[in-house]
Amino acid sequence: MKKKDNRPGAKSRAGQEPRQRNAGKPARQKETAPRSRAPDHVRAAASAPSKPGKPVAKAGAQDSVKVKIAPQETEQVPPRPLKQRAGDLPGEQVPVILESLGAGDFHLIDTGNGLKLEQYGNYRIVRPEAQALWRPSLPERVWENADSIFTGDTDEDGMGRWRFPKEPLGETWPLSLLGVNFLGRFTAFRHVGVFPEQIVHWEWLKHTIETAGRPLKVLNLFGYTGVASLVAAAAGAEVTHVDASKKAIGWARENQALAGLENAPIRWICEDAMKFIQREERRGNTYDVILTDPPHFGRGTHGEIWQLFDHLPLMLDVCRDILSPKALGLVLTAYSIRASFYSMHELMRETMRGAGGEVASGELVIREAGLDGKTRGRALSTSLFSRWVPK
């Protein structure tokens, strides 16, 4: 099923576009967040008409890419029950705050008044951020210098449009994180193709692969536009990338070409995530590292329904069974602000009962870095996480 910028149309990462986090975390929710109140200068720029005679970038358009979609299974497989795990619970670290000050072409400049001001490569972007409850630190003139402003529904996956106060911009532009090149894109759901708060997970993943001393197999579930998959492949892993959105996988393959990793061992699977992992379990296939970033709600390639709170326990249970005997990690990111990180933490510990190791859980935050990308400011909470590692 699936993922995250919520990711273009009305589908969620489970196979759709709007990455429904807030209901989960982006689907930043269905308990509607209060409408962001932009400063006067931002609202004025947002409402300004586009320059006449110049095309406005289309949000969410994707070049067509041939992607193999898993066929509908004719044989009905009975629901797999949760397994009763025995043994001691893994050790624990709580609460853990994983913080990023930015990396590569990204950093968070300032936040406030229900908005965030970000730097993505050459572009300064303003987007809604319901959790920015305070006032901006930087003067209005800094915000007025934005290249692009998203306006529309303040729900995480609500549709809207981009305004370009200075001049119309192209639909895509080049970005780079952790040495991997990829495309940013102005989508109709405010997202731009990457969730930079997960840089801390990707840094961990890169280090784990490079120091393992052996070839690793990585599974990236709800993989969206493939940045994590490309980081893993560039570090030397064999990667399986699963997402139910054909459009997201098309975008991911564009990123693969831009990163110069056309020959990297990456399998692009367009399929419902739950169906895929249950088939891998029946086949006895295993992975050394599994990343999973499920949406709050989504649909699979054949209309399968994904509900985070209903299906997450079974998903993690199956993931445990497809971890290799020498597995190095199982990572969950959850964009559901209605849940406590402790809920994810205890679920992960129960899932890994008897496996030893340790579970660290908490929140992912991005630290404001100012105009220079180095001046530490306030921390913006973005999502919950839980990570099991052997120890």
Side-chain angles (χ1 to χ4, degrees):
M1 311 248 170
K2 195 157 211 77
K3 183 180 158 195
K4 210 172 193 326
D5 256 318
N6 288 34
R7 290 161 159 159
K11 297 181 172 185
S12 87
R13 252 176 44 182
Q16 277 38 47
E17 269 23 292
R19 188 170 178 127
Q20 303 216 348
R21 282 192 157 193
N22 251 357
K25 162 192 166 189
R28 256 173 191 138
Q29 65 248 6
K30 260 310 175 213
E31 348 168 272
T32 309
R35 293 208 168 252
S36 307
R37 185 146 182 256
D40 292 342
H41 60 281
V42 174
R43 284 187 281 123
S47 61
S50 303
K51 291 187 179 180
K54 291 198 176 184
V56 175
K58 291 182 180 178
Q62 303 279 343
D63 295 332
S64 59
V65 178
K66 290 185 177 180
V67 177
K68 183 178 180 182
I69 299 178
Q72 178 104 41
E73 292 185 14
T74 55
E75 179 184 355
Q76 291 299 317
V77 179
R80 172 198 182 284
L82 282 170
K83 293 188 176 180
Q84 183 67 44
R85 305 290 182 179
D88 295 333
L89 290 170
E92 60 180 331
Q93 283 190 56
V94 288
V96 176
I97 304 300
L98 295 183
E99 176 184 309
S100 172
L101 192 64
D105 287 343
F106 167 82
H107 69 270
L108 178 64
I109 299 173
D110 193 18
T111 59
N113 289 345
L115 299 167
K116 56 186 173 183
L117 177 63
E118 305 163 288
Q119 191 75 41
Y120 283 95
N122 294 327
Y123 296 159
R124 188 174 296 178
I125 295 172
V126 175
R127 295 191 290 167
E129 177 48 69
Q131 298 198 71
L133 303 175
W134 43 84
R135 294 180 62 82
S137 296
L138 296 177
E140 289 188 1
R141 58 182 172 76
V142 175
W143 289 75
E144 289 171 349
N145 196 33
D147 298 288
S148 183
I149 300 170
F150 183 88
T151 61
D153 195 328
T154 56
D155 182 75
E156 179 72 16
D157 292 309
M159 292 187 68
R161 63 181 302 182
W162 293 91
R163 298 289 188 181
F164 307 106
K166 299 178 182 179
E167 60 181 349
L169 301 177
E171 179 195 347
T172 64
W173 73 100
L175 291 171
S176 180
L177 286 176
L178 302 184
V180 170
N181 298 324
F182 60 99
L183 290 174
R185 179 175 266 118
F186 294 113
T187 75
F189 294 89
R190 92 174 55 182
H191 302 293
V192 296
V194 61
F195 288 84
E197 61 270 20
Q198 295 197 30
I199 290 170
V200 286
H201 284 331
W202 303 337
E203 289 173 333
W204 168 84
L205 177 65
K206 184 174 185 291
H207 176 76
T208 297
I209 294 168
E210 292 176 343
T211 59
R214 60 186 173 90
L216 296 185
K217 292 176 63 180
V218 172
L219 173 61
N220 186 13
L221 292 175
F222 310 98
Y224 190 36
T225 60
V227 178
S229 296
L230 296 175
V231 168
E238 177 184 329
V239 181
T240 298
H241 173 109
V242 180
D243 198 295
S245 169
K246 183 176 180 179
K247 185 176 289 188
I249 289 186
W251 187 346
R253 295 189 65 171
E254 289 182 76
N255 289 339
Q256 181 183 21
L258 188 63
L261 294 170
E262 298 95 326
N263 297 321
I266 304 176
R267 288 195 301 157
W268 303 104
I269 309 293
C270 186
E271 186 176 4
D272 174 83
M274 285 292 288
K275 282 191 173 180
F276 177 81
I277 60 175
Q278 289 184 78
R279 188 172 63 252
E280 292 293 90
E281 181 183 32
R282 294 194 297 271
R283 291 175 173 175
N285 293 333
T286 61
Y287 299 87
D288 300 297
V289 177
I290 299 177
L291 306 178
T292 180
D293 183 14
H296 175 261
F297 173 83
R299 293 183 185 275
T301 50
H302 299 291
E304 303 88 347
I305 298 295
W306 165 270
Q307 294 279 8
L308 183 71
F309 294 107
D310 292 340
H311 300 126
L312 183 60
L314 178 58
M315 186 201 74
L316 286 181
D317 198 51
V318 177
C319 283
R320 170 173 175 171
D321 279 356
I322 61 175
L323 285 172
S324 70
K326 295 183 179 181
L328 296 178
L330 171 59
V331 180
L332 166 67
T333 306
Y335 289 78
S336 178
I337 65 172
R338 290 188 302 147
S340 163
F341 77 84
Y342 253 114
S343 300
M344 306 302 165
H345 177 70
E346 296 297 0
L347 175 59
M348 182 68 83
R349 292 184 78 212
E350 284 294 338
T351 298
M352 301 309 295
R353 182 185 286 274
E358 182 176 79
V359 174
S361 306
E363 296 189 17
L364 300 184
V365 305
I366 296 179
R367 179 75 60 177
E368 292 173 350
L371 286 170
D372 60 3
K374 299 177 182 178
T375 303
R376 293 173 62 84
R378 295 162 300 203
L380 179 68
S381 177
T382 65
S383 52
L384 314 177
F385 85 92
S386 186
R387 181 167 70 198
W388 171 85
V389 295
K391 208 169 181 69

